[in-house]
Amino acid sequence: MVLATLAKLSAAEQFFETLSVPFDVEVLNVSRLHILKRFRELIRTTDMDGLEDGAVEAVCRAALIEAYEEFAEGKGRKTFKVFRDAMPGFVPLTELRRG
């Protein structure tokens, strides 16, 4: 039942509120998609077959806390393709010319 409820949520804040996990709005504003993606990764690697709803909720809560803390502490890795493929933004002064 908890997983069904989570599947219907659309905003990151809703996940935190539903699972009663405190959060800093500033951290969430910067890393919301990364946190939710990491949360999903943690959930997918956990075998929840046969667990009662309360246990599933506890697993989900722990996974959200772990995902959030990784990014709140600056240790989370940004996994979206746009961040993996990003080239360094260095442009030497010799490359700048007036058009």
Side-chain angles (χ1 to χ4, degrees), residues 4-58:
T5 300
L6 294 177
K8 295 177 186 175
L9 303 179
S10 59
E13 291 84 355
Q14 293 173 323
F15 284 83
F16 285 86
E17 291 164 4
T18 300
L19 295 170
S20 300
V21 175
F23 63 94
D24 180 343
V25 174
E26 291 180 24
V27 172
L28 200 57
N29 285 342
V30 171
S31 301
R32 71 180 56 240
L33 295 177
H34 300 291
I35 292 168
L36 290 179
K37 184 173 182 183
R38 179 67 178 134
F39 169 66
R40 185 184 70 199
E41 290 171 354
L42 292 167
I43 294 299
R44 285 187 172 171
T45 61
T46 304
D47 182 16
M48 291 188 268
D49 290 339
L51 294 181
E52 294 181 16
D53 201 44
V56 171
E57 184 174 347

